[in-house]
Amino acid sequence: MKAVSYEGTHKMAVTNHPKPKLSSPTDAILRVTTSGICGSDLHMYDGRTELKEGTVVGHEIMGVIEDVGEAVASIKKGDRVVLPFNIACGYCFNCHRGYTSACLTMNPDAPSAAYGYAGMGPYQGGQAEIVLVPHADFNCLKLPGKPGDEWEDDFLLLADVFPTGYHATELACVSPGKTVAVFGAGPVGLLSAYSALLKGASEVYVVDNIPERLEKAEELGAVPVDFSKGDPVEQIFKLRKKNKDLQQSMRPGEEKMQGVDCAIDAVGYQARDDKNPSKENPTQALENALKVVNPTGSVGVIGVYIAPDPGAKDKQQKEGVFDFPLAAFFEKGLTIGTGQAPVKKYNEYLRDLIISGRAKPSKIVSHHIQIDEAPEAYKKFDQRIDGYTKVLIRFGDKKAA
Ligand SMILES: NC(=O)c1ccc[n+]([C@@H]2O[C@H](COP(=O)([O-])OP(=O)(O)OC[C@H]3O[C@@H](n4cnc5c(N)ncnc54)[C@H](O)[C@@H]3O)[C@@H](O)[C@H]2O)c1
Ligand SMILES: [Zn+2]
Ligand SMILES: [Zn+2]
């Protein structure tokens, strides 16, 4: 079968691999219909993780079940399913409490496992024609409809970026009426903004410097903020000040609350420096999030910070150690949330929002490709050119999928 594998920094290849086989009675075999390329895959592509060459990548996976082990009870051949990017057992202490992003049994080296990802266990990725699904009863989310229907892209986004964006709003304590700033207009930032709007946030700002992505943010109902046009935090303060009705209804001293209630870092450790975007500044988005949020507000860190980082500029950063403005953080009395999204906590309800027509996350999808085009798509997505924002790989018959 064909699959996309990591062959060194800036080298993805389409290679041939043996078809995975059932290895435990609780496994299933999935024939993939669509698989996404994620911003997280770019950290590996850029050589910013310790990933073994030859690893098959891809953790956003949906398709049709081809076979199930004899202990699988709720999933059968022919079922259409999407997989959370987290691989979880369902019975460990963390899974039991809903933290499938910190499953204690599926990865011998750390709490948390995923398909085709550095440091996340020995699992083959899903940018492949076929993938093995461990603990199929727990990890498959059943879907209505047929491969290639109007929901194919929406459902694929349930594997990662839609629940991840939603989780970012949970980490940042977004609720109806609150004001929100999102740093990063990649798929995760865009769907964090979208989730905030679904939850009823009153104002949502999205910061980036890529025109097509800022346009998408506006299309979704957020206010775009281009950091190449000046300090994004100051820009948000100014935009809020322009709202005369809001200014008129303030309580004494409220002018000190010129920022927002909730901020989301949807960029992570490969952030660009605001003033000099050709340079990397790993804490830029996090620092801005801490600045833009009002005293007593909340910050959600959904963009990843990974160590060891072979591409970092010094020894400390290679180990993932950065300066952090702790005094400002304390003085403001902020709450901060971090980590991988426990996709399974949200995917069922978000699926139902899609089915009822209340959510259409696929608005952010920019490209559909066949697997042979993957190396070129990685290159363009990494350079963020030609509008490459969210790329989905289609498998099999072009019409059927
Ligand atoms: N926590 C999780 O469970 C989880 C899941 C999926 C992805 N992620 C992470 O979320 C992050 C975003 O993912 P994505 O798919 O949207 O990736 P992406 O790379 O497409 O998006 C990142 C965006 O940030 C922008 N950016 C760079 N520097 C910036 C700055 N200083 N200020 C504002 N914007 C800036 C880039 O221009 C880009 O548009 C990545 O770190 C990814 O690994 C985390
Ligand atoms: Zn991802
Ligand atoms: Zn578990």
Side-chain angles (χ1 to χ4, degrees), residues 169 174 178-182 189-190 192-198 200-207 217-218 220-225 236 239-240 260 262 264:
T169 69
V174 177
K178 284 196 180 170
T179 50
V180 184
V182 180
L190 289 171
S192 300
Y194 189 57
S195 299
L197 290 161
L198 281 172
S202 58
E203 298 167 38
V204 179
Y205 301 90
V206 175
V207 180
E218 194 165 18
L220 296 175
V223 179
V225 175
I236 292 171
L239 284 163
R240 298 219 63 228
V260 291
C262 315
I264 291 170

Side-chain angles (χ1 to χ4, degrees), residues 104-118:
L104 297 168
T105 69
M106 296 308 287
N107 178 357
D109 304 320
S112 80
Y115 301 91
Y117 208 85

Side-chain angles (χ1 to χ4, degrees), residues 60-80:
E60 301 182 351
I61 313 162
M62 72 180 285
V64 176
I65 295 289
E66 196 157 273
D67 198 6
V68 296
E70 59 199 21
V72 175
S74 63
I75 298 291
K76 60 180 189 316
K77 183 177 159 69
D79 281 349
R80 186 189 198 192

Side-chain angles (χ1 to χ4, degrees), residues 269 305-309 312 314-322:
Y269 74 132
Y305 293 81
I306 298 178
D309 172 6
D314 59 38
K315 187 168 172 284
Q316 203 170 304
Q317 294 194 1
K318 277 189 205 307
E319 287 161 14
V321 177
F322 304 98

Side-chain angles (χ1 to χ4, degrees), residues 38-40 42-43 59 85 117 160-161 164 183-189 207-210 213 227 266-274 284-285 288 302-304 339-341 381 384 389:
C38 180
S40 296
L42 295 180
H43 304 313
H59 56 267
F85 76 83
Y117 208 85
D160 182 353
V161 287
T164 295
F183 293 87
V188 172
V207 180
D208 208 304
N209 69 339
I210 299 176
R213 294 185 175 200
F227 71 72
V267 185
Y269 74 132
Q270 287 191 264
R272 305 268 122 217
D273 189 82
D274 280 353
Q284 180 73 78
N288 286 345
I302 201 74
V304 304
Q340 305 273 348
F381 179 41
R384 293 166 180 116
T389 299

Side-chain angles (χ1 to χ4, degrees), residues 88-92 94-95 103-106:
C89 69
Y91 52 71
C92 74
N94 286 345
C95 281
C103 175
L104 297 168
T105 69
M106 296 308 287

